[in-house]
Amino acid sequence: EVFYRESGGGVTFSGGEPLAQLDFLRSLVGACGAVGYSTAVETGAFFDWQAGADIIEHFDAVFVDVKHMDPKEHRRYTGVPNETILGNVRRILKTNGNVVVRVPLVAGVNDGEENIRGLCAFLADANPVGLRGVEFLPHHALGVPKYARLGLPSPHAFTAPPPERTEALKSLVRESGINVID
């Protein structure tokens, strides 16, 4: 309690997918609110909106990932379609007033200009009342040593785009009138 009060910090729910455990999440968010702690959630937005809509407005901040705008490419890399995700992002932007859209940026996967222009068009069309901005999260290989320790092969060989590529994509976002969060 002293730490939270002195730092002005709060509790961030991340995962996996925190919205996959709605009853538990509601309980924790309610308990945090009762003692005055701010709350945030990091979500991939792949959840049943009808089941979880009520909790979105209770977070002080929502960080939501958009991995790929193309439905086929999204399914190829994540194993799930993006229609539910994009529909939930649209709803989150209308429900919560403090939303950051994050793009986990992977070279050769989702760092193309067409993908980022598609994201910008989607966000503009969504009438994003609550959008604070877009944040790029360049891929990292922090999980690779874990696989090695377990004696397992790494499931992929993804890399981050070069910094100049990331900067060019940030410029595209800014040109579309959307704030970039660094």
Side-chain angles (χ1 to χ4, degrees), residues 57-86:
E57 66 188 48
H58 294 287
F59 290 108
D60 297 299
V62 176
F63 298 90
V64 59
D65 287 357
V66 175
K67 295 175 180 80
H68 211 296
M69 294 304 297
D70 182 278
K72 290 179 185 172
E73 291 298 300
H74 191 278
R75 183 183 285 276
R76 175 179 171 206
Y77 287 107
T78 68
V80 298
N82 68 354
E83 290 84 2
T84 297
I85 293 164
L86 295 177

Side-chain angles (χ1 to χ4, degrees), residues 115-136:
N115 183 55
I116 301 306
R117 288 186 196 281
L119 173 65
C120 293
F122 167 79
L123 292 173
D125 183 62
N127 191 16
V129 177
L131 181 64
R132 280 191 31 225
V134 171
E135 180 179 23
F136 290 108

Side-chain angles (χ1 to χ4, degrees), residues 97-112:
N98 190 13
V99 181
V100 174
V101 172
R102 291 178 163 172
V103 181
L105 206 54
V106 180
V109 174
N110 66 348
D111 67 334

Side-chain angles (χ1 to χ4, degrees), residues 136 165-178 180:
F136 290 108
R165 179 72 179 148
T166 303
E167 290 305 314
L169 297 175
K170 288 179 183 180
S171 292
L172 283 178
V173 172
R174 286 185 192 103
E175 289 169 11
S176 73
I178 298 171
V180 172

Side-chain angles (χ1 to χ4, degrees), residues 141-159:
L142 296 176
V144 172
K146 293 177 187 178
Y147 282 94
R149 283 193 301 272
L150 293 170
L152 299 171
S154 181
H156 54 72
F158 294 135
T159 60

